[in-house]
């Protein structure tokens, strides 16, 4: 289990959500409310869209709570669309290439959850990745393979369909090995313009995911930023940040989100072939 | 708050206590039972006496739970006397020179606790360190200064007196600044032959410290090692390891321990001038 | 020996000088032309003035040449005034608190060189640091102590005088210990508005330092940035970057620089009391 | 290009060769005599056979020259058969899982060299790895894939044949992609009893490899260890260590070595099908 968050709105400093809000993601790296993995200290990462062609990524194997570089960067980097992730792993090694977000061209990807018995499936999943994309896989997580499968299945053209086909393929591959319920995930994806998310589990019991109800809700996170957030600001989180639970709406099981300017859509998420 | 342990007995592998025992120190790095700091993920260290003149020290800024080098080393290094420490800090930077144990010649030192308002006292404490010892201070913790003060006050000749004078000096220096109750500590010290420990707080409420009751108790930690531990094996811990609480005896407040072969002494610990 | 560079001008991306120019500072981290220390792989740091109150600092113990975070940050962070430093040490531990630039409030400081026999002088130098500044010393380098001595001696009011008094004090302290020629340095200092530098050695043989001749010279480093650099751009370097040696003018021994907008002054640097 | 060394003989401390000898491997991490990559600062590793079932491995992303843990461990760990490796990479990320030696069960493997255009071949090579071995590949180097291909082709039964089949397979796979001369390597392999090495390049111009001439030669590295080395001590190195060039004999191009007690064999190394 991990914890992640994503922001879309007018440009704010990363620190405005990462450090200033109460029970923020950095706090969650040490003391999440999850009963299973209260500690998410196996590295972290932030990805943001800025002035360069590619989004920026800063990843570290240190626990987010004791990394001073992160504090400085969060104070200086502002962005209208960013993601952050704190990791808890019992499997893949703690190394930067296993920290989220993963990046390909202008795309960023974060994941919380697990492909069950990935060690039995990893080779088959890797083989299905487009050979042209294969060299871009640098780490050893299930998450990165999920991202490159989704890219293989058309994420760049239709992100939610790419994710649905990835989910379908993972489940199908697992079934062939006798694993009935293989996928357990919340994911966040962006091309720098839209923010997509999905909450899905093969057994219908995916990790938690929440979105901010509306712009007023976001302002409750930091009233001083009312002007800065902008009218269409949205935050998506694994676990509520801030002190006002009412500002958060749980994303239903097996659903997808699409956020872009005034657009905010929730739809069923159904694995596809 | 941190967590530490020390072992004295016949030679065993570090892993026998660090990894094999239930609720071991490595587990405590992620999930200590302390209400205040359940996570001790700000670096760790082990120090052991072996074949070389100096004790060996291995320290890392990573959380102990995700460091694979530690597992390998604990499997290969055996020692009749070793200490290990997992760190939680809200103050001094996470860097190797701030990880315990600290070493000077054949001496090792671990600490759990705090000098209150150390930032107001640090300069005065440093000035009191013997100028000949001063260059050996490499980090920025209160703990390391406590060690070098104790060395200044004669730790090498009389370890428990050196610690008592250090405690007295810290309290006296603090009082001059209007800080009435400055010291809060458990410490472990060794020269490779004896193992010393102290539990002390200016306000009488020091962090917990336990010692194994007897050799039978130690064998409960890992019955397969009965032969290996030897008749005089002792373990000192911040927090019980293993699953049998009965094997542990709490060290009384304001007490010191001295362990060496058959010798096992508990005495009052009183700050000295 | 280390290598550093500083830029003052219109806002550019850090990468424009750190990575794009030929034989840039990152290349110098692996292959400097210095005969004594061709490798400057003991950590690095960048400091930049941006939108926040304090300058940003990013420091790492990794060699600059293999740190992927640095590449990403240099691509995304732009600044009108920044410094970068790659470190080679035979003395103080490789840890982030020993990486340059050092920061105090709005001030940044980088150093190349050495206080000879610092281990014999360090305690006396530390004692002379203003007790109010003392708690801000976090590492164990001679460089950081030099910075805090200069602050103690008025760097914030008169930077070059503060540096001159620091140099005078270091030399005087060393002489008392029988060390005749103690100081060997190039330093760079900024408050975010002005850029100061000094090249000085007690024996008149300080490490190299160069400044760009004029705005045309800077444009030779990257002609595409002609518009971006602005009319008053200046670069100061330990060792020339780029492929046109003519763009660099060596700073004379025992001299100081002051760069601010159109102002560019070179003056003798004389240790003061 | 990297640098490695291997020792087989009576048990010595790692430091005896890693640190005490002149121009040792740790010195080579900063200042190798190679014109192409004088700096091998992209991580390091040591592997040794000791009292545990598996050999021990200690790997770090730091340059070997500034890692204090390595010094301590080398002082305390002794072994009759060990390998060490310092890395220089322009390709795969600097992370512990990319540091040599690689380990599988009781086997260790080090490599210096390159599979040309590995990015075009990696997927095909990975596919040929036995699916049962596939989950043990944790990093992203060509070297680790070479090791697991050799294991797939029978390294455990016949080490030199396994390596020869690996070389043949790599060359054959490359030829299908139009790469005529794909392999360039020196490798070291051990099961804890025998030490194997090979020097081979598709174009007949492999990186350098040397073996110590005889027991007298090894004693020249450190005369104080004459008794300790034992009569059958052998050292294999990428680049001579010590100050007496006469003690080293260059391994011929396209040759293999087998060292075990009194056995010392050199044979042609010919890629196999």
């Amino acid at each position: 289990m991990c914890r992640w968050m994503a922001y879309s709105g007018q440009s704010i400093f990363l620190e405005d959500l990462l450090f200033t809000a109460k029970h923020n993601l950095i706090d969650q790296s040490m003391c999440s409310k999850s009963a299973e993995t209260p500690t998410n200290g196996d590295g972290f990462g932030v990805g943001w869209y800025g002035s360069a062609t590619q989004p920026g990524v800063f990843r570290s194997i240190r626990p987010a709570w004791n990394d001073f570089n992160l504090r400085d960067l969060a104070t200086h980097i502002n962005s209208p669309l960013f993601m952050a992730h704190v990791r808890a792993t019992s499997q893949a090694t703690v190394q930067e290439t296993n920290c989220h977000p993963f990046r390909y061209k202008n795309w960023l990807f974060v994941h919380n959850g697990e492909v069950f018995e990935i060690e039995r499936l990893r080779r088959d999943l890797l083989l299905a990745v487009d050979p042209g994309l294969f060299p871009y896989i640098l780490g050893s997580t299930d998450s990165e393979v999920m991202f490159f499968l989704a890219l293989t299945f058309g994420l760049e053209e239709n992100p939610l369909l790419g994710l649905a086909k990835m989910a379908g393929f993972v489940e199908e591959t697992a079934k062939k090995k006798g694993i009935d319920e293989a996928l357990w995930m919340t994911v966040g994806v962006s091309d720098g313009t839209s923010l997509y998310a999905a909450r899905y589990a093969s057994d219908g019991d995916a990790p938690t995911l929440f979105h901010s109800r509306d712009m007023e809700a976001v302002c409750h996170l930091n009233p001083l930023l009312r002007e800065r957030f902008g009218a269409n600001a949205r935050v998506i989180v694994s676990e509520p940040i801030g002190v006002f639970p009412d500002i958060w709406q749980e994303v239903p099981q097996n659903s997808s989100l699409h956020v872009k300017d005034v657009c905010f859509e929730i739809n069923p998420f159904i694995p596809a072939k």
Side-chain angles (χ1 to χ4, degrees), chain A residues 106-158:
Chain A
N106 60 318
W107 292 85
L108 291 176
F109 177 89
V110 289
H111 168 229
N112 173 28
E114 197 179 340
V115 175
F116 289 114
E117 303 199 46
I118 178 66
E119 64 283 0
R120 288 174 58 200
L121 303 180
R122 183 174 167 79
R123 185 173 179 277
D124 289 338
L125 297 180
L126 273 177
L127 291 196
V129 170
D130 184 304
L133 293 169
F134 192 86
Y136 297 95
I137 299 179
L138 301 174
S140 55
T141 59
D142 51 359
S143 309
E144 190 184 20
V145 177
M146 288 165 62
F147 179 34
F148 280 89
L149 282 173
L151 284 163
T152 298
F153 297 139
L155 179 96
E156 293 173 277
E157 289 72 44
N158 186 333

Side-chain angles (χ1 to χ4, degrees), chain A residues 157-263:
Chain A
E157 289 72 44
N158 186 333
L160 291 172
L161 183 59
L163 291 172
K165 285 184 173 175
M166 174 274 288
F169 182 80
V170 170
E171 291 187 330
E172 184 192 340
T173 305
K175 281 217 175 92
K176 288 179 187 162
K177 302 264 184 181
I179 306 165
D180 275 347
E181 299 177 335
L183 192 56
W184 192 59
M185 73 176 200
T186 68
V187 296
V189 177
S190 181
D191 61 354
T193 306
S194 284
L195 177 61
Y196 303 90
R199 181 188 188 192
Y200 175 78
S202 306
D203 64 359
D205 190 19
T208 55
L209 193 67
F210 301 84
H211 65 82
S212 55
R213 284 184 193 279
D214 51 29
M215 188 276 189
E216 281 304 311
V218 176
C219 291
H220 275 292
L221 289 172
N222 192 336
L224 298 175
L225 298 186
R226 176 172 289 273
E227 304 303 314
R228 295 241 311 279
F229 282 129
N232 301 318
R234 286 280 175 185
V235 186
I236 302 174
V237 294
S238 296
E239 177 175 324
I241 62 177
V243 290
F244 303 102
D246 290 355
I247 71 179
W248 300 103
Q249 174 72 43
E250 188 167 356
V251 176
Q253 291 282 351
N254 300 358
S255 302
S256 70
L257 297 188
H258 178 199
V259 179
K260 184 184 179 182
D261 303 330
V262 295
C263 156

Side-chain angles (χ1 to χ4, degrees), chain A residues 46-57:
Chain A
V46 293
W48 68 93
Y49 292 90
S51 45
T53 317
Q54 271 201 330
V57 170

Side-chain angles (χ1 to χ4, degrees), chain A residues 25-48:
Chain A
L25 189 76
I26 309 308
D27 291 341
Q28 291 174 19
S29 72
M30 188 181 273
C31 298
S32 148
K33 287 170 182 164
S34 158
E36 295 155 48
T37 57
T39 310
N40 294 280
D42 296 323
F44 71 88
V46 293
W48 68 93

